[in-house]
Amino acid sequence: MPEAMATARASDNTGNQATQQVDVAVVGAGFAGLYLLYRLRKAGLKTVALEEAGDVGGTWYWNRYPGARCDIQTIDYSYTFDPDLERVWTWSEKYATQPEILRYLGFVADRYDLRREIRFGTKVTTARWDEAAECWQLTTDNGANVSCRHYIMATGCLSTPKPPEIDGVKDFKGEVYFTGRWPHDEVKLAGKRVAVIGTGSSGIQSIPFFAEQAAQVTVFQRTPNFALPAHNGSAPADRKALLEKDRAGYREQARWSLAGVPYPQQTVVSWQLSDAERRERFERAWAAGDLVHILTQLWADQGVDVDGNALVAELMREKIRASVNDPDTAETLSPHDHPFGAKRPCLDTNYYATYNRPNVTLVNLRQEPIKAITATGIATDKRSFDVDVIVFATGFDAMTGAITAVHPIAGRAGKSLSSVWANGPQTYLGLTVAGFPNLFMITGPGSPSVLSNMVVSIEQHVDWVVDRLSAMREAGFTVMEATETAQAGWARHMSDCAMLTLHRLANTWYTGANVPGKVQGVMPYTGGVGPYRSICSEVVSRGMLGFKLSGPNVAEQCNDGEVVRLQPDVRLVLNMLADMNLPPIETFGAAGARLFVNEFNKSRPLGRPVGEVVDGTLPGSDGPLPYRLYRPATPGPHPIVVYFHGGGWVLGDEQSDDPFCRDMCRRSGMIFVSVGYRHAPEHRFPTAAEDGYAATRWIAEHAVELGGRSGPVLVAGWSAGGNIAAVTCQLARERGGPQIAGQLLVCPVVDCTFDRPSYTENATGYFLTRSLMYWFWDIYCSPADRTDPRVSPLRGKLEGLPPAFLVTCEFDPLRDEGIAYGDALAKAGVPVEQLQARGHFHSSFTMVDMVITGVSGREKMADALRRFAGQAGASENARHARTAPRPEVDAAE
Ligand code: NAP
């Protein structure tokens, strides 16, 4: 039953009425507000929308500067909730103009009769959570105040223009305009001298129009931006055909894509392509004139890897040089300070060519900052420019501005949202805030919003919120509030996601860097639209995880917790593996499991190039053993790392950790020799241990022949290979050599006890299962032998061992024994560093180029190896090998 006591009224200026009582109050009548009204009405909830503007449109109502268009293709930038609406509306261009988008939103409002629930010309002046009545009390500047159970901010992300921070604006005697608040009446520029401050999307779209009209245009640029020609016209035939062939499928693909536009995920990385192939892809993207295409379809590492990104940036700069006649101007227009895509790139029509016009001048504010605005124009610290008009295209207080700066919002105990967000916006899912019951944000900070096709994100948010309100009502709940735990978890997940992409490497409105004094941090969710959608669904399927629900006649419900504790890419990999529905590996038998692993490994990204890869054999404890040697491209001789692959003493070979060995060889600048030790069940305990020791001794004795540095070697291994590396160190100490300078143990098996908590907590669901570990142990080692230090090195003597770097992963059955080994080594006086990787699983660090968040861990491993080898500091080689930003991996002291 709707709780509203009074009918929502249309715009009312009498200012004297009783409080308007509704179930839901919405602020804003743009894309989000209109769809909310549609859905809320259908759900039977009494609603009012409060809109400051005189009509619908939101950002498209205000941003009406010349040249304003959308920069997502209009066939994608449209509502999809009603197939009939899609049939009756046809866009005239690939990128619709602002007037056409505004007409579309007016058409939608009329078609669904939405205006009757909108109070235009009405601003909310305060919003307060009323603890006693359990509803929001709103005051407005026009007409009745509002009392509502639920309060939804559909205020948009880019709707509060940034005030000019330049001294003297008030002294200027000419005309002043803001692109974000462009007048509704025609602005006449003919014959005038126009100054434009700002070269973001708004400046880049409008400057060519100003140049055509005005006598002189002077552009004041602080930071150049990348722009791609829109090639506007009719909608491209290929995209249209895709849509028309299967409209529902096309829309569904968009909903699960990364950016809200149905493009496939690229899998080929930049270094797998030749220069010619990269250029061909780039030219195709340039010709397509589509930001989502050029941001996602060139190569898989363009958005996550500084080197992969630099290739795109240089091709973009080449285009700028080709478009602008004056080389100095071209250079000034060329961005060098941020990765391509880290700052929102722009879509332009004739932008660069405009600088070839005689009436356009570019002023580089990096060389001559603005000193002040004067009565007659703009003074830099070198010159004065007399102008008639100043246009501020200086952007917005993005994402939080429209929520906190527009009106005070007071939640529980009167706490203001501004104070709660004093150190940056805190939200759960970007939709809700702990301490602010029944308050929702559409495309709020913490949601994919501005990094996606906004309409797709808006529809998802609105559907999720309205579905929750309906479900609450059915269950008798009246109040819904995020918990602090869930919110803190979301903040952690947000920051994990932010480490995956390059957005944090640019000073932009995405990070709040454009507003002086604003706390900085990546505000939108960078994990992608599809993953975000699946997380929102997971919150529901796990019993409204992270929300407290209460109502007058029902028991309170709170299923507290964090929805994502895995690193974002680990979550994707595990979901992908779960979708494959593989039978447990142990059910294949040893031979079948080996075949399976070989096949599985074929689908992973190839390892990166190293200087040389050599296959050979070495004498083992009982016959020859194969090895594969990875040599860095840098001049040698290099220290040698003897490496033991993973596979539970049963699976794998000297090639099976190829991507990891290549990566570590590049990062450390060391030779990696991966040893093909013998496996169980053919060769049971202690064969692997003895082979490992014999191989290490032989390699140490033949270091120079192998092209390595003479002197002590290092050992490393992952999983069962970590076991062999640890055991080798103990055997070498006992048997008088070889000398080992350090040991790198990645998720090693070190003990035969299975009752540590990690074995139970991570028994299933993280690829390496408890039952698989039991199987490995049974095949390799009979119970009577298991306490032997050659298989359970934790039970051996630990004094006098080489320094160790020990890596454990949170979601790994082997976690606790690894930590125990590190602690025991330290207790025995062995220098040891532990990296306890939060959110990672057993294979995180060996899934090179799949688990990008593993990069920083491998950097730390390489640093440790260099320290062990007496090569302090990052080598030049390692710096070059840096393949991605440095994600934070929690490391224990
Ligand atoms: P913006 O991207 O934030 O650009 C603002 C520009 O003003 C930047 O060049 C900035 O320089 C400059 N600026 C700001 N304060 C300044 C100061 N005090 N002195 C000198 N220069 C100053 O804002 P926007 O162009 O309005 O675009 C914002 C976002 O709105 C876009 O990224 C896009 O998402 C959306 N938008 C989309 C379209 C479209 O095509 N559909 C059109 C317009 C806007 P710095 O970079 O050095 O800070």
Side-chain angles (χ1 to χ4, degrees), residues 370-395:
I370 295 178
K371 221 166 51 187
I373 292 177
T374 63
T376 56
I378 296 178
T380 69
D381 66 2
K382 290 205 177 113
R383 301 180 268 179
S384 289
F385 297 85
D386 284 349
V387 294
D388 307 303
V389 177
I390 300 178
V391 176
F392 285 92
T394 43

Side-chain angles (χ1 to χ4, degrees), residues 616-627 654 675-678 683 691 694-695:
T617 52
L618 55 83
S621 57
D622 186 22
L625 299 175
Y627 70 81
E654 72 283 2
V675 176
Y677 56 89
R678 286 170 296 166
H683 306 281
D691 278 358

Side-chain angles (χ1 to χ4, degrees), residues 714-737:
L714 302 107
V715 294
W718 167 56
S719 195
N723 173 276
I724 297 170
V727 168
T728 295
C729 290
Q730 296 193 10
L731 294 179
R733 182 203 50 203
E734 270 149 38
R735 298 177 185 177

Side-chain angles (χ1 to χ4, degrees), residues 157-158 342 396-404 421 423-427 429-431 441 443-451 461 490-491 493-495 497-498 501 503-504 506-515 518-527 532:
C157 298
L158 296 156
F396 301 87
D397 182 356
M399 304 210 72
T400 52
I403 299 172
T404 55
W421 283 5
N423 293 321
Q426 299 295 315
T427 71
L429 305 172
L431 289 164
M441 296 165 298
T443 63
S447 77
S449 59
V450 288
L451 292 178
H461 283 191
W490 192 248
H493 176 57
M494 282 280 294
S495 104
C497 288
T501 70
H503 291 100
R504 69 189 191 290
N507 291 327
T508 65
W509 59 261
Y510 291 144
T511 63
N514 67 326
V515 176
K518 191 165 173 173
V519 175
Q520 292 189 32
V522 180
M523 290 187 287
Y525 178 75
T526 53
Y532 175 82

Side-chain angles (χ1 to χ4, degrees), residues 105 278 282 384 399 454 532 585 617 636 640 657 668 715 722 757 875:
L105 291 170
R278 282 198 294 264
F282 175 78
S384 289
M399 304 210 72
M454 286 292 277
Y532 175 82
I585 293 175
T617 52
I640 295 187
D657 290 348
S668 63
V715 294
S875 73

Side-chain angles (χ1 to χ4, degrees), residues 511-544:
T511 63
N514 67 326
V515 176
K518 191 165 173 173
V519 175
Q520 292 189 32
V522 180
M523 290 187 287
Y525 178 75
T526 53
V529 166
Y532 175 82
R533 176 179 289 267
S534 85
I535 291 167
C536 289
S537 303
E538 191 179 328
V539 166
V540 179
S541 67
R542 291 172 68 184
M544 291 303 286

Side-chain angles (χ1 to χ4, degrees), residues 60 63 65 68-72 158 162 164-166 179 197-205 220-223 225 343-345 347 365-366 370 393-396 450 507 509-510 513-514:
W60 296 106
N63 280 274
Y65 57 84
R69 290 178 186 270
C70 57
D71 59 6
I72 297 280
L158 296 156
K162 202 168 71 103
E165 305 113 5
I166 303 166
T179 48
I197 303 176
T199 51
S201 299
S202 305
I204 283 177
Q205 278 188 337
F220 293 83
Q221 173 194 277
R222 190 163 66 185
T223 314
N225 217 334
K343 190 170 189 151
R344 170 85 171 206
L347 208 55
L365 298 181
R366 297 283 176 205
I370 295 178
T394 43
F396 301 87
V450 288
N507 291 327
W509 59 261
Y510 291 144
N514 67 326

